[in-house]
Coordinates of all heavy atoms in Angstrom, one line a residue:
M10 N 90.5 30.0 378.0 CA 90.3 30.6 376.7 C 91.3 31.7 376.5 O 91.6 32.5 377.4 CB 88.9 31.2 376.6 CG 88.6 31.6 375.3 SD 86.8 31.9 374.9 CE 86.0 30.4 375.4
P11 N 91.9 31.8 375.4 CA 92.9 32.8 375.1 C 92.4 34.2 375.2 O 91.2 34.5 374.8 CB 93.4 32.5 373.6 CG 92.9 31.2 373.3 CD 91.7 30.9 374.2
T12 N 93.2 35.2 375.5 CA 92.8 36.6 375.5 C 93.5 37.3 374.5 O 94.7 37.1 374.2 CB 93.2 37.2 376.9 OG1 92.5 36.5 378.0 CG2 92.9 38.6 377.0
H13 N 92.8 38.2 373.7 CA 93.4 38.9 372.6 C 93.1 40.4 372.8 O 92.0 40.8 373.1 CB 92.8 38.5 371.3 CG 92.9 37.0 371.0 ND1 94.1 36.6 370.4 CD2 92.2 35.9 371.2 CE1 94.0 35.2 370.3 NE2 92.9 34.8 370.8
T14 N 94.2 41.2 372.7 CA 94.0 42.7 372.8 C 94.1 43.3 371.4 O 95.1 42.9 370.7 CB 95.1 43.2 373.8 OG1 94.9 42.6 375.0 CG2 95.0 44.7 373.9
L15 N 93.1 44.1 371.1 CA 93.0 44.7 369.8 C 92.8 46.2 369.9 O 92.3 46.7 370.9 CB 91.8 44.2 369.0 CG 91.6 42.7 369.0 CD1 90.2 42.4 368.5 CD2 92.6 42.0 368.1
T16 N 93.2 47.0 368.9 CA 92.8 48.4 368.8 C 91.8 48.5 367.7 O 92.1 48.3 366.6 CB 94.1 49.2 368.5 OG1 95.0 49.0 369.6 CG2 93.7 50.7 368.5
V17 N 90.6 48.9 368.1 CA 89.5 49.0 367.2 C 88.9 50.4 367.3 O 88.5 50.8 368.4 CB 88.4 47.9 367.5 CG1 87.2 48.0 366.5 CG2 89.0 46.5 367.5
N18 N 88.8 51.1 366.2 CA 88.4 52.5 366.1 C 88.9 53.4 367.2 O 88.3 54.1 367.9 CB 86.8 52.4 366.2 CG 86.2 51.8 365.0 OD1 86.8 51.8 364.0 ND2 85.0 51.2 365.3
G19 N 90.2 53.2 367.4 CA 91.0 54.0 368.3 C 91.0 53.6 369.8 O 91.6 54.3 370.6
K20 N 90.2 52.6 370.1 CA 90.2 52.1 371.5 C 90.7 50.7 371.6 O 90.5 49.8 370.8 CB 88.7 52.1 371.9 CG 88.0 53.5 371.9 CD 86.6 53.4 372.3 CE 86.0 54.7 372.3 NZ 84.6 54.8 371.9
Q21 N 91.5 50.6 372.7 CA 92.1 49.3 372.9 C 91.0 48.4 373.7 O 90.4 48.8 374.6 CB 93.4 49.3 373.8 CG 94.1 48.0 373.8 CD 95.6 48.2 374.3 OE1 95.7 48.6 375.4 NE2 96.5 48.0 373.5
V22 N 90.8 47.2 373.2 CA 89.8 46.3 373.8 C 90.5 44.9 373.9 O 91.4 44.5 373.2 CB 88.6 46.1 372.9 CG1 87.8 47.5 372.8 CG2 88.9 45.6 371.5
T23 N 89.9 44.2 374.8 CA 90.4 42.8 375.2 C 89.2 41.8 375.0 O 88.2 42.2 375.6 CB 91.1 42.7 376.5 OG1 92.3 43.7 376.5 CG2 91.7 41.3 376.8
V24 N 89.4 40.8 374.3 CA 88.4 39.8 374.2 C 88.9 38.4 374.6 O 90.1 38.1 374.4 CB 87.8 39.7 372.8 CG1 87.0 41.1 372.5 CG2 88.8 39.5 371.8
D25 N 88.1 37.6 375.2 CA 88.3 36.2 375.5 C 87.7 35.4 374.4 O 86.4 35.2 374.4 CB 87.8 35.8 376.8 CG 88.5 36.6 377.9 OD1 89.7 36.8 377.9 OD2 87.8 36.9 379.0
V26 N 88.5 34.8 373.5 CA 88.0 34.1 372.4 C 89.0 33.1 371.9 O 90.2 33.4 372.0 CB 87.4 35.0 371.3 CG1 88.5 35.8 370.7 CG2 86.6 34.3 370.2
E27 N 88.6 32.0 371.3 CA 89.6 31.1 370.7 C 90.4 31.7 369.6 O 89.8 32.6 368.8 CB 88.8 29.8 370.2 CG 88.2 29.0 371.3 CD 89.2 28.4 372.3 OE1 90.3 28.2 372.0 OE2 88.8 28.2 373.4

Side-chain angles (χ1 to χ4, degrees):
M10 186 166 306
T12 299
H13 301 276
T14 300
L15 313 165
T16 302
V17 181
N18 296 331
K20 296 178 182 146
Q21 195 167 61
V22 297
T23 301
V24 293
D25 296 323
V26 66
E27 295 297 332

